[in-house]
Amino acid sequence: MGPVLAGVLQLVALIGALALAYVPLGNHMARVYSSDKHLRVEKWTYRAIGANPDTEMTWPAYLRAILAFSAAGVLFLYLLQRLQGILPGSLGFDSVNPAQSFDTAVSFVTNTNWQSYYGEQTMGHVVQTAGLAVQNFVSAAVGMAVAVALVRGFARSRTGELGNFWADLVRGTLRILVPLSVVAAVILVACGAIQNFSGIHEVGQFMGGSQQWNGGAVASQEAIKEIGTNGGGYFNANSAHPFENPTPFTNLFEIFLILVIPFALTRTFGVLVGSVRQGYAILATMFTIWLGFVALMMWAEFAHHGPALQAAGGAYEGKEVRFGIGGSSIFAVSTTLTSTGAVDSFHSSFTGLGGGITMLGMMLGEIAPGGTGSGLYGMLIMAVIAVFIAGLMVGRTPEYLGKKIGTREMKLAACYILITPALVLVFTAVSMALPTPPHSMLNSGAHGFSEVLYAFTSAANNNGSAFAGLNANTDWYNTMTGLAMLLGRFLPMIFVLALAGSLAEQKPVPETAGTLRTEKPLFTGLLVGAILIITGLTYFPALALGPLAEGLAS
């Protein structure tokens, strides 16, 4: 079997598995967020944190709860790292330095999981499990809660109430993320991923000599790392490490875990707004962009010009030989079109155009299908903008799901789509202009610029992957990427929740003959075009200086 055919068959199998999970998982999540009953363990949790899950919140109250919870998470995780040297199960590792502790705490709380450290050489068992793994669950649940709050804004009328954050957080964690992670962890262990709390031990090498490795609760963290679109690996090699990703089957399974909730949330959206066809329209938009990016990536990596690459049958440098170019291409696109950041190959070794595809995937806002929760609310913001554009084209008042898109709604949507590009471009420009930070680059020219651009694109979009040719473990990059992650996570949430509150207060507008049919393929095409054009106009100059220049020169 040729490598191209193997890649295509993996893609077909993945699409089939996602299709089978779409309806049952999407319906289950809709029931979770619309139920008025509380499980016993949930009631215990509410008592422990002093929350009343039946109290409805306006958007400012919902936002304050998110910010308070996230701030507490940052502080707890920061202190846990700073105290690691005196904690049990530290494996002899010292406390993490202040700048890196701040960067890592912010990274995991914002669902970014950017790692400027070697996991197997820095973090002990307590920090990995009680700190990082816990944030993998709750940061994903926060994203899902914000998405559901926006959906309620479309579904409700004449009220400013968006539900209860604490109820959404606890239900998303206990009824969705925990059960899925348990099943996934068992499958990963059965396929060879490790799950233990062993200390550091010496292992032999095939070519002679030995090296030291520590064990850990890898399979369980790997499961929620992918399901929650977190991405932070137990080991520095991430999902290219055989302890995390042992076989080609687990590689495909991990891609499935990355995509299954973001895609299924479109079904949840359709059920909650009373029209599953609206969910299918959003799904079609996400799927079209994702499949197009996978095809482009395979073409860039399999058919790139150059005698050496053609003789080898593709760009094999930096690819994990167990998975091949096909498996690595699907993984790279899926991880950068979501907010995952997990990697099973060396993105810095991709071709110039292939590296540009990974960057563009993040620059879209990671909405195809996007992160757990963040992909859905990002896509709905783009749908609002597309409806507004269509209204201007035909001279009618823009409406979406029975809600008018007026001046206030458009200002909030515009702020949402502008804030992340502003963060990426400003932080990149400052880092390139200063004399000291660029010394972190291992490459010069277009590829060196791409490394810095990729780093801040990943941080501000809460992705977490990296080109890895950049030494980001410096005070400058630890601090700047930390700030980019904080602002890139919570500023957009402000605009999303404010928009949800504005929509929830509106009176529904009856559908007329002039209403744009947003469940039709025509709207899907309009939405795809709006996403690509807006993103292209925003980032094209920066891409032209980096990956495009490199790709055209090679």
Side-chain angles (χ1 to χ4, degrees), residues 299-320:
W299 168 80
E301 298 303 304
F302 272 119
H304 191 72
H305 55 273
L309 297 179
Q310 290 176 355
Y316 278 92
E317 181 189 351
K319 307 298 190 303
E320 170 55 62

Side-chain angles (χ1 to χ4, degrees), residues 37-48 170 174-175:
K37 297 181 179 179
H38 308 296
L39 302 179
R40 181 174 298 177
V41 65
E42 294 171 352
K43 293 178 181 178
W44 294 341
T45 305
Y46 299 138
R47 291 196 194 102
V170 172
L174 297 181
R175 300 194 197 182

Side-chain angles (χ1 to χ4, degrees), residues 150-524:
L150 179 58
V151 173
R152 292 190 185 117
F154 284 109
R156 296 181 176 184
S157 60
R158 299 177 181 178
T159 178
E161 298 172 342
L162 300 175
N164 185 283
F165 167 71
W166 303 110
D168 293 338
L169 173 72
V170 172
R171 288 180 179 183
T173 302
L174 297 181
R175 300 194 197 182
I176 300 172
L177 297 175
V178 169
L180 288 177
S181 298
V182 170
V183 174
V186 170
I187 293 174
L188 288 172
V189 169
C191 292
I194 68 170
Q195 181 76 9
N196 57 57
F197 289 102
S198 70
I200 297 176
H201 53 278
E202 200 166 282
V203 296
Q205 297 177 313
F206 287 114
M207 303 300 293
S210 63
Q211 61 185 122
Q212 292 183 332
W213 283 105
N214 56 280
V218 176
S220 56
Q221 186 154 318
E222 191 75 12
I224 187 56
K225 152 191 158 182
E226 313 295 13
I227 291 172
T229 60
N230 296 284
Y234 212 99
F235 300 98
N236 184 55
N238 205 274
S239 289
H241 198 292
F243 288 178
E244 294 192 23
N245 192 2
T247 67
F249 169 78
T250 60
N251 188 65
L252 199 62
F253 180 60
E254 289 184 15
I255 301 173
F256 168 81
L257 295 180
I258 291 171
L259 299 173
V260 66
I261 288 182
F263 273 132
L265 275 173
T266 62
R267 174 75 180 191
T268 305
F269 160 69
V271 172
L272 292 178
V273 299
S275 174
V276 294
R277 296 180 68 184
Q278 295 287 350
Y280 284 131
I282 299 298
L283 171 67
T285 304
M286 291 178 171
F287 180 77
T288 298
I289 296 174
W290 174 77
L291 187 61
F293 271 55
V294 170
L296 285 173
M297 180 64 83
M298 285 192 174
W299 168 80
E301 298 303 304
F302 272 119
H304 191 72
H305 55 273
L309 297 179
Q310 290 176 355
Y316 278 92
E317 181 189 351
K319 307 298 190 303
E320 170 55 62
V321 294
R322 293 173 297 153
F323 313 138
I325 291 178
S328 295
S329 296
I330 300 171
F331 202 115
V333 169
S334 300
T335 195
T336 51
L337 274 174
T338 63
S339 65
T340 311
V343 293
D344 74 343
S345 54
F346 196 63
H347 286 192
S348 189
S349 289
F350 277 41
T351 62
L353 295 179
I357 291 169
T358 61
M359 267 190 276
L360 183 59
M362 294 184 290
M363 290 170 177
L364 292 182
E366 296 176 309
I367 54 178
T372 302
S374 60
L376 178 61
Y377 65 68
M379 183 60 78
L380 292 178
I381 295 289
M382 294 304 303
V384 167
I385 293 173
V387 165
F388 182 78
I389 293 172
L392 293 178
M393 293 171 64
V394 300
R396 293 185 177 274
T397 302
E399 301 169 8
Y400 186 54
L401 299 178
K403 301 296 178 71
K404 287 186 177 181
I405 308 302
T407 303
R408 183 184 181 191
E409 288 75 22
M410 275 309 301
K411 287 179 179 178
L412 293 170
C415 288
Y416 176 91
I417 65 171
L418 290 174
I419 187 62
T420 304
L423 293 172
V424 172
L425 298 176
V426 168
F427 277 114
T428 300
V430 171
S431 294
M432 293 299 298
L434 293 178
T436 302
H439 292 169
S440 295
M441 298 187 303
L442 301 183
N443 298 279
S444 59
H447 194 78
F449 173 77
S450 294
E451 291 172 353
V452 179
L453 177 63
Y454 192 107
F456 285 109
T457 300
S458 176
N461 284 280
N462 302 132
N463 181 273
S465 63
F467 257 16
L470 180 74
N471 175 22
N473 188 18
T474 65
D475 287 347
W476 170 263
Y477 279 108
N478 277 326
T479 303
M480 291 301 104
T481 55
L483 292 175
M485 288 183 283
L486 276 176
L487 297 174
R489 175 70 164 180
F490 296 112
L491 286 181
M493 282 185 178
I494 295 174
F495 303 124
V496 171
L497 292 173
L499 176 62
S502 178
L503 294 170
E505 293 172 353
Q506 288 190 28
K507 176 182 177 181
V509 179
E511 187 175 304
T512 66
T515 301
L516 176 65
R517 302 298 296 274
T518 54
E519 77 281 8
K520 297 291 185 179
L522 178 63
F523 179 72
T524 296

